[in-house]
Amino acid sequence: MTDIDNDSREVDSRLKSESLTEEIPDKIIRRLPHYYVQLKYMMKKDIEYVSSEQLAKIMGFSSSLIRRDLSHFGQFGKKSYGYDVHCLYENLQQILGFGYEKTMIIVGAGFLGRALANNKSYSERGYILKGIFDKDPAIIGLEFNDIKVMDIELAPDFISEHEVDVAALAVPAESAQETADMLVNAGIKGIWDFTETPVEVPGNIILIEQNMNDGLCKISCKLVQKRQSPS
Amino acid sequence: MTDIDNDSREVDSRLKSESLTEEIPDKIIRRLPHYYVQLKYMMKKDIEYVSSEQLAKIMGFSSSLIRRDLSHFGQFGKKSYGYDVHCLYENLQQILGFGYEKTMIIVGAGFLGRALANNKSYSERGYILKGIFDKDPAIIGLEFNDIKVMDIELAPDFISEHEVDVAALAVPAESAQETADMLVNAGIKGIWDFTETPVEVPGNIILIEQNMNDGLCKISCKLVQKRQSPS
DNA sequence: TAGATTGTTAATCGATTAACAATC
DNA sequence: TAGATTGTTAATCGATTAACAATC
């Protein structure tokens, strides 16, 4: 196993050294992948430079916001030219951590877990799916995306042995907390939580709540508002 | 079919009349379902009153924020007692629109679409799942949650006939925009978008982007920051 | 050079928190 | 009455936008 922390990847000198360690505001982090995707498109089209104004038009943010977001990490633009697409892409990749190998498992192999197993974008973002776990004997042993579902009892040892970074939590709400506790005790560093109940984890664990029903609630709320307003 | 707009449900007099039509800030909408869930727990435990301070402790918001959020819709509290759990629950249900019947379809019956088909929380939030669509002949005709997958060619007629409100979009990224266009043309009112590419819809269509990979990016970013900071 | 566009500072906007008078 | 807790106003905080000097 390579020690990826010592990976001697060349870091752009324009990248502020603090910017990889200093806490980045969540609001900015959320926009970064979108910049990243746009820049990838542009690279494919062999566009060399892009101005904040052009990006603004495409992405629906203000050019001011884009300049401010990017300046948070360093000075990547050339005055009167705009931003070097390739350079910015590489640096965003660095900031987003896609260049670092991260290991991942899926816990819960219902339809949602299976959907996650078939997600194509892990490798592109530096994730390696190492295992899938479930407690249902009828599901253990099945294969999804060439990975055999293992007994969840084996998860703790698997996590510490493989130094698993992230677990996608796709178990029923009832066992969400208990499973999260198990993951944390086994040394997981981040939990990508798809369960309906918000789980509690220690402060040093990265927790992303991906509760899908919040979206459903939001639509309902907006739909009803619309029905009742005369517009 | 009942005309649910004329449903003569009793609306609490404490509920500000504007609050159902006036635009609610997104930030508040996002917190409402969480209040709702907590209040449901409390009703089960036969708790009659709860103070903003108690709610704050449970939910991790400040009591100030909770009072402010709730006061946006009316005056539901009793000074020195706190909030009437049942009354607040009913009103939140009203505001969130769970009491109104909303029809829904799922477009795309891959693993993700199937996971959505088996979601248990639709009815609780007033949604009725009317159909599932796919274009793959090998999938058309299969049943998930007792609903047969139909040919996507039939979707436009189905949507207008059944006056479908919301479509969960779970097709591959390549056909996301084209499918969204079809849905909009057929008269859909809201799209719950699970695809990787952001889709464009007219301004009068409610669009909720449920891009799951954003979560993956966020974890990656935070994970790498943590690795590099000496903490 | 003239025009374009950055990076940054100041101004604005919006959301959260603190404080407190009103009152149950 | 004394204590508790709301609803709301003022203060603070943070994020976005506008503006512009610097400069390619």
Side-chain angles (χ1 to χ4, degrees):
Chain A
M1 205 149 92
T2 44
D3 187 353
I4 40 192
D5 278 355
N6 288 337
D7 180 0
S8 64
R9 159 186 318 279
E10 196 188 324
V11 177
D12 197 297
S13 62
R14 283 160 290 194
L15 186 66
K16 281 186 196 167
S17 56
E18 323 87 84
S19 64
L20 286 177
T21 54
E22 211 180 57
E23 189 119 347
I24 307 167
D26 261 32
K27 281 281 174 68
I28 298 185
I29 292 185
R30 210 178 313 160
R31 286 187 293 264
L32 296 183
H34 298 264
Y35 295 132
Y36 180 80
V37 167
Q38 276 310 323
L39 289 163
K40 196 162 77 178
Y41 279 143
M42 289 177 177
M43 283 206 342
K44 268 190 197 152
K45 288 194 214 156
D46 285 319
I47 298 171
E48 287 190 54
Y49 284 92
V50 65
S51 72
S52 58
E53 197 58 58
Q54 288 172 300
L55 268 174
K57 281 225 182 75
I58 297 167
M59 321 216 337
F61 307 152
S62 79
S63 65
S64 233
L65 184 62
I66 291 172
R67 289 199 300 280
R68 209 166 215 291
D69 277 356
L70 299 180
S71 76
H72 194 269
F73 306 107
Q75 308 199 347
F76 301 116
K78 262 194 189 160
K79 288 193 170 76
S80 103
Y81 282 85
Y83 296 90
D84 178 324
V85 172
H86 185 77
C87 153
L88 193 51
Y89 176 81
E90 291 282 332
N91 277 285
L92 277 175
Q93 187 160 311
Q94 188 77 7
I95 294 158
L96 283 164
F98 294 168
Y100 297 93
E101 187 180 291
K102 298 165 291 283
T103 53
M104 180 178 171
I105 58 170
I106 294 168
V107 184
F111 281 123
L112 181 57
R114 295 171 201 188
L116 293 173
N118 283 288
N119 189 321
K120 297 285 175 292
S121 47
Y122 296 136
S123 64
E124 203 182 322
R125 289 170 176 78
Y127 287 93
I128 297 172
L129 181 57
K130 290 272 185 178
I132 309 175
F133 296 88
D134 203 287
K135 72 171 181 188
D136 183 347
I139 290 177
I140 295 166
L142 295 181
E143 268 190 27
F144 300 106
N145 200 12
D146 292 333
I147 299 173
K148 224 175 216 155
V149 178
M150 289 173 272
D151 189 328
I152 197 166
E153 300 286 331
L154 304 174
D157 283 349
F158 189 94
I159 290 167
S160 50
E161 253 172 57
H162 291 76
E163 300 189 38
V164 176
D165 294 305
V166 178
L169 189 57
V171 299
E174 307 86 71
S175 38
Q177 186 60 56
E178 149 198 14
T179 311
D181 292 344
M182 176 276 280
L183 293 168
V184 169
N185 288 332
I188 210 84
K189 297 179 195 98
I191 295 180
W192 192 20
D193 179 21
F194 286 86
T195 68
E196 266 199 78
T197 27
V199 298
E200 307 250 341
V201 295
N204 62 327
I205 305 293
I206 299 162
L207 175 69
I208 303 291
E209 294 282 1
Q210 196 81 50
N211 186 339
M212 303 201 291
N213 286 314
D214 281 358
L216 209 52
C217 293
K218 203 167 161 186
I219 296 184
S220 172
C221 186
K222 284 175 183 269
L223 207 53
V224 167
Q225 275 190 296
K226 240 173 133 182
R227 275 195 193 160
Q228 273 155 353
S229 70
S231 80
Chain B
M1 202 149 93
T2 45
D3 186 353
I4 40 194
D5 278 355
N6 287 339
D7 180 359
S8 63
R9 156 188 321 278
E10 196 189 321
V11 176
D12 197 298
S13 63
R14 282 159 291 193
L15 186 68
K16 283 186 192 166
S17 56
E18 323 87 84
S19 64
L20 286 176
T21 55
E22 209 181 59
E23 188 119 348
I24 307 168
D26 261 32
K27 282 280 174 68
I28 297 183
I29 292 184
R30 209 177 314 160
R31 286 188 291 265
L32 296 183
H34 298 264
Y35 295 131
Y36 179 80
V37 167
Q38 276 310 322
L39 290 163
K40 198 164 73 178
Y41 279 142
M42 290 175 176
M43 284 205 343
K44 268 190 197 152
K45 288 195 214 155
D46 284 319
I47 298 171
E48 286 191 54
Y49 285 93
V50 64
S51 72
S52 57
E53 197 60 56
Q54 289 172 301
L55 268 174
K57 281 224 182 76
I58 297 167
M59 321 218 336
F61 308 152
S62 78
S63 65
S64 233
L65 183 62
I66 291 173
R67 289 200 299 281
R68 207 165 216 291
D69 277 356
L70 298 180
S71 76
H72 194 268
F73 306 106
Q75 308 197 346
F76 300 117
K78 260 193 189 161
K79 288 192 170 77
S80 102
Y81 282 86
Y83 296 90
D84 178 324
V85 172
H86 184 77
C87 153
L88 193 51
Y89 176 82
E90 292 282 332
N91 277 286
L92 276 175
Q93 187 161 312
Q94 188 78 7
I95 293 158
L96 282 164
F98 294 167
Y100 296 93
E101 187 180 293
K102 297 165 292 284
T103 54
M104 180 178 171
I105 59 170
I106 293 168
V107 185
F111 281 122
L112 182 57
R114 295 171 201 187
L116 294 171
N118 282 288
N119 189 322
K120 297 285 174 292
S121 46
Y122 296 135
S123 63
E124 203 182 322
R125 290 170 176 77
Y127 287 94
I128 296 171
L129 180 56
K130 289 273 185 177
I132 309 175
F133 297 87
D134 203 289
K135 71 171 180 188
D136 183 347
I139 291 177
I140 295 165
L142 295 180
E143 268 191 26
F144 301 105
N145 200 11
D146 293 333
I147 300 173
K148 223 174 218 158
V149 178
M150 289 174 272
D151 190 328
I152 196 165
E153 300 287 330
L154 305 173
D157 283 350
F158 189 94
I159 290 167
S160 51
E161 253 172 57
H162 290 77
E163 300 189 40
V164 177
D165 294 305
V166 178
L169 189 57
V171 300
E174 307 85 72
S175 38
Q177 186 60 56
E178 150 199 12
T179 311
D181 292 344
M182 175 277 279
L183 293 168
V184 169
N185 288 333
I188 210 84
K189 297 179 195 98
I191 295 180
W192 192 21
D193 179 21
F194 286 85
T195 68
E196 266 198 79
T197 27
V199 299
E200 308 251 340
V201 296
N204 62 328
I205 305 294
I206 299 163
L207 175 69
I208 302 292
E209 295 282 1
Q210 196 81 50
N211 186 339
M212 304 201 290
N213 286 313
D214 281 359
L216 208 52
C217 293
K218 204 168 160 187
I219 297 184
S220 171
C221 187
K222 284 175 183 268
L223 208 52
V224 167
Q225 276 191 297
K226 241 173 133 184
R227 275 194 193 163
Q228 273 155 353
S229 71
S231 79

